[in-house]
Amino acid sequence: MGVDIKSYLNPPVLLVIFLLVISLMFIFPVLNMILLGAILAYLVRPVATKIQSKVKFSSVSIILAMIVVLIPLILLVAYVSYEISSVITSLIASNYYFDIDQFISQLPIDVNSVNSSINSSLNEIAKYVLNYTVSFLSKFLNITLDLFILVCSVFYFVRDGDRCIEFIRDFVPDDSKNFFDNTLESIQDVLRSIFYGHFLTSVIIGIFGAIGYSLLGYPYGIFLGVLTGILQLIPIFGPWPIYWALFFIDIYAGNYPRAIIVLLFGFFLSTIDMYIRPALSSHYAEIHPLILLIGFLSGPLVYGVVGFIVGPLILGITYTVLDSYRKEYLFGDE
């Protein structure tokens, strides 16, 4: 029997579709913040539940939980930015200081011509700085709006996430509610798998790296450990760029014993990943490494820095939804 599409496209359905399309056009510019807010809400909610057992008001417990979860992330970004600026400042101070007047006096050129070129260059630089400032202010307003939407999304998803799911579930036909519930459970498994199997693994290896590099006497040992943990998130990298770079630096400096030790330590970091990751994620969904790799690499191209988190999650969730559909409808009767 053929399906009569016209019987489904009645005026109320057409109105709903029209409003959904218009609404999507409005929220699309901030969709990445909403998705990230939903993901962070999944992490904040267990903390809020524990705090709520001791705090009377749910809103207060959610805000406290958001502070507990988000403040470490903000401090991490601030720490990385501070360390990078310190490294750049030290490099400039040690390698690029020279007497500009003496340098110009030794050149066989016309000083007046140089002054004219300098004035022209200064004007161009001033125009560039002005344009950059205006552009930065506009981006700053956008960033402020994104952060505001992110915070609001986390708060309301934690507080009203169950209502949102029930609201969507009411539109699901009765014969598909089982598929909907299984899909939700699969999505939760993906979130647990990626969090425990990848983010928590990166934290553990980053801590090991910070301790090891500090004990070996490297400057910025904690910073190197943070970079090791961040690189561990990207499947194609891992910790090897850090310890190989330190190995070649020590070889160039003639510190051969430490070069051998840091190389062995790096191999240790790469090896324990094969044991920590399966041990943490084996109880949840198994996500193929290629899916995560594509998510990590293509996510930032679509959503910027947020794409490092949203990309693999969306692809992982899409895979589990397809797998759930395959099991429910294609092989459900076998």
Side-chain angles (χ1 to χ4, degrees):
M1 293 179 61
V3 178
D4 187 7
I5 299 179
K6 293 183 180 180
S7 62
Y8 293 96
L9 296 180
N10 50 54
V13 173
L14 291 175
L15 177 61
V16 170
I17 295 175
F18 172 75
L19 292 176
L20 286 176
V21 172
I22 297 298
S23 300
L24 184 60
M25 292 173 59
F26 276 99
I27 68 173
F28 187 78
V30 294
L31 183 60
N32 57 341
M33 291 293 107
I34 297 175
L35 293 174
L36 184 59
I39 295 168
L40 292 176
Y42 182 80
L43 303 177
V44 171
R45 187 169 184 176
V47 181
T49 302
K50 292 182 179 179
I51 296 177
Q52 192 170 357
S53 62
K54 301 179 181 180
V55 179
K56 182 178 180 181
F57 301 100
S58 61
S59 298
V60 175
S61 64
I62 294 173
I63 293 174
L64 292 176
M66 291 172 60
I67 293 174
V68 170
V69 174
L70 296 179
I71 288 298
L73 298 177
I74 296 174
L75 292 177
L76 176 63
V77 173
Y79 172 76
V80 172
S81 302
Y82 172 77
E83 291 294 344
I84 290 176
S85 63
S86 299
V87 171
I88 294 175
T89 302
S90 63
L91 288 176
I92 293 175
S94 60
N95 296 323
Y96 294 97
Y97 176 76
F98 60 94
D99 190 344
I100 186 66
D101 294 331
Q102 182 180 0
F103 176 75
I104 294 177
S105 64
Q106 294 177 353
L107 297 177
I109 55 177
D110 186 8
V111 177
N112 294 328
S113 176
V114 171
N115 290 332
S116 177
S117 299
I118 291 176
N119 291 330
S120 177
S121 300
L122 289 176
N123 290 330
E124 294 296 328
I125 293 173
K127 293 179 181 179
Y128 174 79
V129 171
L130 180 61
N131 293 331
Y132 179 81
T133 302
V134 173
S135 176
F136 174 78
L137 290 176
S138 63
K139 291 181 179 179
F140 179 77
L141 294 176
N142 292 333
I143 293 174
T144 304
L145 177 62
D146 287 344
L147 291 177
F148 177 75
I149 293 175
L150 175 63
V151 172
C152 292
S153 298
V154 173
F155 178 85
Y156 286 111
F157 274 123
V158 173
R159 195 187 72 174
D160 304 322
D162 291 337
R163 297 180 185 177
C164 180
I165 293 175
E166 288 299 324
F167 180 81
I168 297 174
R169 194 175 187 275
D170 289 338
F171 290 93
V172 178
D174 292 336
D175 57 349
S176 298
K177 288 188 183 296
N178 186 45
F179 168 73
F180 180 79
D181 295 336
N182 291 335
T183 300
L184 283 180
E185 186 176 351
S186 299
I187 291 174
Q188 292 179 0
D189 289 339
V190 171
L191 292 173
R192 295 190 192 102
S193 176
I194 292 180
F195 174 72
Y196 290 108
H198 300 280
F199 289 102
L200 192 55
T201 299
S202 299
V203 171
I204 294 174
I205 290 181
I207 293 174
F208 278 135
I211 295 173
Y213 296 139
S214 299
L215 292 177
L216 289 174
Y218 289 104
Y220 307 104
I222 298 177
F223 178 60
L224 292 174
V226 172
L227 290 182
T228 300
I230 294 174
L231 291 175
Q232 181 63 34
L233 284 173
I234 306 175
I236 199 173
F237 286 105
W240 65 265
I242 301 297
Y243 64 77
W244 275 108
L246 295 175
F247 169 77
F248 286 116
I249 290 174
D250 282 339
I251 290 295
Y252 178 78
N255 193 347
Y256 301 111
R258 192 171 70 170
I260 299 300
I261 294 174
V262 75
L263 191 62
L264 295 175
F265 176 69
F267 290 157
F268 165 76
L269 292 179
S270 298
T271 302
I272 61 173
D273 171 65
M274 296 185 295
Y275 296 95
I276 296 177
R277 191 186 302 271
L280 293 176
S281 61
S282 59
H283 301 290
Y284 309 108
E286 291 291 338
I287 306 298
H288 195 278
L290 181 61
I291 295 176
L292 294 177
L293 176 60
I294 295 175
F296 277 115
L297 296 181
S298 62
L301 298 178
V302 180
Y303 290 116
V305 178
V306 179
F308 280 111
I309 300 176
V310 176
L313 282 174
I314 290 179
L315 293 184
I317 290 172
T318 302
Y319 169 77
T320 57
V321 170
L322 292 175
D323 187 55
S324 179
Y325 177 84
R326 178 179 66 90
K327 295 176 180 178
E328 181 74 20
Y329 292 102
L330 300 184
F331 302 103
D333 296 331
E334 295 183 3

